[in-house]
Amino acid sequence: MDGFLDDLPDLDLPDPPKRRGGPDPDCVLWTRVRCPYCSSTDCPVYNSNNIPIRYHKCRQCGHSFKSVETNWTWDGT
């Protein structure tokens, strides 16, 4: 397959814009949720109906707690 695309014409397209430093704008910054009581990371979400607030229950100690997504925005749909 070497040279597979070599016969395509040059489209003379402009260079893509330069990216600024920092996180990729198309990705989501994610942090593992830890239980505030025992620091376990085994804390699945059991209710996310009220986004940006999510409710978790720790499988290690059984305590329930909530987390808030700080970079979440409503898109109106």
Side-chain angles (χ1 to χ4, degrees):
M1 291 221 106
D2 285 337
F4 175 68
L5 298 175
D6 287 345
D7 60 346
L8 292 176
D10 184 19
L11 299 176
D12 197 29
L13 296 174
D15 290 335
K18 300 284 186 219
R19 293 194 127 171
R20 292 181 281 164
D24 187 352
D26 296 331
C27 72
V28 175
L29 297 175
W30 180 77
T31 304
R32 182 177 297 275
V33 174
R34 290 187 177 271
C35 175
Y37 302 100
C38 71
S39 298
S40 170
T41 58
D42 191 8
C43 305
V45 173
Y46 69 85
N47 183 347
S48 62
N49 293 334
N50 300 319
I51 292 180
I53 299 172
R54 294 182 186 263
Y55 295 91
H56 305 266
K57 182 163 184 154
C58 180
R59 289 183 179 158
Q60 292 288 332
C61 67
H63 281 92
S64 296
F65 61 96
K66 68 180 178 180
S67 65
V68 180
E69 294 184 21
T70 58
N71 61 347
W72 182 83
T73 57
W74 173 255
D75 65 359
T77 57

Short mmCIF file of all heavy atoms in Angstrom, two decimals, residues 2 5 7 9 14 20 22 25-28 30 35 39 52 55 58-59 61 63 67-69:
data_model
loop_
_atom_site.label_atom_id
_atom_site.label_comp_id
_atom_site.label_asym_id
_atom_site.label_seq_id
_atom_site.Cartn_x
_atom_site.Cartn_y
_atom_site.Cartn_z
N ASP A 2 2.16 1.15 -0.07
CA ASP A 2 2.99 2.34 -0.15
C ASP A 2 2.65 3.11 -1.40
O ASP A 2 2.48 2.55 -2.48
CB ASP A 2 4.47 1.97 -0.15
CG ASP A 2 4.93 1.57 1.24
OD1 ASP A 2 4.27 1.97 2.20
OD2 ASP A 2 5.95 0.86 1.34
N LEU A 5 -1.78 7.03 -1.79
CA LEU A 5 -2.38 8.34 -1.98
C LEU A 5 -1.47 9.30 -2.74
O LEU A 5 -1.76 10.49 -2.81
CB LEU A 5 -2.75 8.95 -0.62
CG LEU A 5 -3.79 8.18 0.18
CD1 LEU A 5 -3.98 8.80 1.54
CD2 LEU A 5 -5.11 8.12 -0.56
N ASP A 7 -1.04 9.72 -5.86
CA ASP A 7 -1.55 10.24 -7.12
C ASP A 7 -2.67 11.27 -6.95
O ASP A 7 -3.25 11.73 -7.91
CB ASP A 7 -2.05 9.10 -8.01
CG ASP A 7 -3.17 8.30 -7.37
OD1 ASP A 7 -3.38 8.44 -6.16
OD2 ASP A 7 -3.82 7.53 -8.09
N PRO A 9 -4.29 14.92 -6.38
CA PRO A 9 -3.81 16.27 -6.72
C PRO A 9 -3.59 17.11 -5.48
O PRO A 9 -4.21 16.89 -4.43
CB PRO A 9 -4.96 16.84 -7.56
CG PRO A 9 -6.16 16.10 -7.12
CD PRO A 9 -5.68 14.73 -6.75
N PRO A 14 -5.04 25.89 2.89
CA PRO A 14 -4.23 26.62 3.87
C PRO A 14 -3.87 25.71 5.04
O PRO A 14 -4.54 24.71 5.31
CB PRO A 14 -5.15 27.75 4.33
CG PRO A 14 -6.53 27.26 4.04
CD PRO A 14 -6.41 26.37 2.83
N ARG A 20 -3.33 26.54 20.63
CA ARG A 20 -2.79 27.15 21.84
C ARG A 20 -2.39 26.05 22.80
O ARG A 20 -2.86 24.93 22.72
CB ARG A 20 -3.83 28.03 22.50
CG ARG A 20 -4.14 29.25 21.69
CD ARG A 20 -5.15 30.11 22.40
NE ARG A 20 -6.45 29.50 22.17
CZ ARG A 20 -7.53 29.76 22.86
NH1 ARG A 20 -7.48 30.62 23.84
NH2 ARG A 20 -8.68 29.18 22.60
N GLY A 22 -2.18 24.07 26.43
CA GLY A 22 -3.23 23.70 27.36
C GLY A 22 -3.99 22.49 26.89
O GLY A 22 -3.62 21.84 25.91
N PRO A 25 -9.36 21.32 23.38
CA PRO A 25 -10.72 21.80 23.59
C PRO A 25 -11.79 20.76 23.28
O PRO A 25 -12.93 20.93 23.67
CB PRO A 25 -10.83 22.98 22.63
CG PRO A 25 -9.79 22.74 21.60
CD PRO A 25 -8.70 21.98 22.29
N ASP A 26 -11.44 19.69 22.60
CA ASP A 26 -12.41 18.66 22.25
C ASP A 26 -12.43 17.52 23.26
O ASP A 26 -13.05 16.50 23.01
CB ASP A 26 -12.12 18.09 20.86
CG ASP A 26 -12.28 19.14 19.78
OD1 ASP A 26 -13.10 20.06 19.98
OD2 ASP A 26 -11.58 19.05 18.77
N CYS A 27 -11.73 17.68 24.37
CA CYS A 27 -11.72 16.60 25.36
C CYS A 27 -12.28 17.09 26.68
O CYS A 27 -12.38 18.28 26.93
CB CYS A 27 -10.31 16.05 25.55
SG CYS A 27 -9.22 17.15 26.44
N VAL A 28 -12.65 16.17 27.50
CA VAL A 28 -13.20 16.48 28.81
C VAL A 28 -12.15 16.16 29.85
O VAL A 28 -11.57 15.08 29.85
CB VAL A 28 -14.48 15.65 29.07
CG1 VAL A 28 -14.99 15.87 30.47
CG2 VAL A 28 -15.53 15.96 28.03
N TRP A 30 -11.13 14.88 33.23
CA TRP A 30 -11.81 13.92 34.09
C TRP A 30 -10.95 13.64 35.30
O TRP A 30 -9.74 13.47 35.20
CB TRP A 30 -12.06 12.63 33.32
CG TRP A 30 -12.75 11.58 34.11
CD1 TRP A 30 -14.08 11.52 34.43
CD2 TRP A 30 -12.17 10.43 34.69
NE1 TRP A 30 -14.36 10.42 35.16
CE2 TRP A 30 -13.19 9.72 35.34
CE3 TRP A 30 -10.88 9.93 34.75
CZ2 TRP A 30 -12.97 8.54 36.02
CZ3 TRP A 30 -10.66 8.74 35.42
CH2 TRP A 30 -11.71 8.06 36.05
N CYS A 35 -14.30 8.75 47.59
CA CYS A 35 -15.20 8.88 48.73
C CYS A 35 -14.58 9.85 49.74
O CYS A 35 -13.41 9.69 50.12
CB CYS A 35 -15.44 7.52 49.37
SG CYS A 35 -16.44 7.60 50.87
N SER A 39 -11.86 7.52 51.23
CA SER A 39 -10.94 7.74 50.10
C SER A 39 -10.95 6.62 49.06
O SER A 39 -10.04 6.54 48.23
CB SER A 39 -9.51 7.99 50.58
OG SER A 39 -9.47 9.15 51.37
N PRO A 52 -25.63 19.34 36.68
CA PRO A 52 -24.27 18.85 36.86
C PRO A 52 -24.01 18.13 38.18
O PRO A 52 -22.86 17.85 38.50
CB PRO A 52 -23.44 20.12 36.79
CG PRO A 52 -24.31 21.16 37.36
CD PRO A 52 -25.71 20.77 36.95
N TYR A 55 -24.88 11.80 42.08
CA TYR A 55 -24.91 11.17 43.39
C TYR A 55 -24.20 9.82 43.33
O TYR A 55 -24.44 9.03 42.43
CB TYR A 55 -26.36 11.01 43.87
CG TYR A 55 -27.03 12.34 44.07
CD1 TYR A 55 -27.73 12.95 43.04
CD2 TYR A 55 -26.93 13.00 45.29
CE1 TYR A 55 -28.33 14.18 43.21
CE2 TYR A 55 -27.54 14.23 45.49
CZ TYR A 55 -28.23 14.82 44.43
OH TYR A 55 -28.82 16.04 44.62
N CYS A 58 -20.53 4.84 47.96
CA CYS A 58 -19.26 4.13 48.11
C CYS A 58 -19.52 2.65 48.39
O CYS A 58 -20.33 2.30 49.25
CB CYS A 58 -18.45 4.75 49.24
SG CYS A 58 -16.87 3.94 49.51
N ARG A 59 -18.86 1.79 47.65
CA ARG A 59 -19.01 0.34 47.87
C ARG A 59 -18.17 -0.14 49.04
O ARG A 59 -18.41 -1.23 49.54
CB ARG A 59 -18.62 -0.42 46.60
CG ARG A 59 -19.63 -0.25 45.49
CD ARG A 59 -19.26 -1.08 44.30
NE ARG A 59 -20.25 -0.93 43.25
CZ ARG A 59 -20.04 -1.18 41.98
NH1 ARG A 59 -18.84 -1.61 41.58
NH2 ARG A 59 -20.99 -1.02 41.09
N CYS A 61 -17.45 1.76 52.13
CA CYS A 61 -17.99 2.13 53.45
C CYS A 61 -19.50 2.37 53.44
O CYS A 61 -20.10 2.48 54.50
CB CYS A 61 -17.28 3.37 53.98
SG CYS A 61 -17.59 4.87 53.06
N HIS A 63 -21.23 5.01 52.43
CA HIS A 63 -21.71 6.39 52.52
C HIS A 63 -22.10 6.91 51.15
O HIS A 63 -21.50 6.57 50.14
CB HIS A 63 -20.62 7.29 53.11
CG HIS A 63 -20.53 7.18 54.59
ND1 HIS A 63 -19.68 6.30 55.21
CD2 HIS A 63 -21.18 7.83 55.57
CE1 HIS A 63 -19.80 6.41 56.50
NE2 HIS A 63 -20.72 7.33 56.76
N SER A 67 -21.23 14.75 43.79
CA SER A 67 -20.15 15.46 43.13
C SER A 67 -20.78 16.45 42.16
O SER A 67 -21.89 16.24 41.68
CB SER A 67 -19.20 14.50 42.40
OG SER A 67 -19.88 13.86 41.34
N VAL A 68 -20.07 17.54 41.90
CA VAL A 68 -20.57 18.58 41.02
C VAL A 68 -19.58 18.77 39.88
O VAL A 68 -18.38 18.94 40.11
CB VAL A 68 -20.74 19.92 41.78
CG1 VAL A 68 -21.25 21.00 40.85
CG2 VAL A 68 -21.66 19.74 42.96
N GLU A 69 -20.08 18.70 38.65
CA GLU A 69 -19.23 18.92 37.49
C GLU A 69 -19.09 20.43 37.30
O GLU A 69 -20.05 21.12 37.01
CB GLU A 69 -19.86 18.28 36.25
CG GLU A 69 -19.90 16.77 36.35
CD GLU A 69 -20.43 16.14 35.10
OE1 GLU A 69 -20.41 16.77 34.02
OE2 GLU A 69 -20.87 14.99 35.19
#
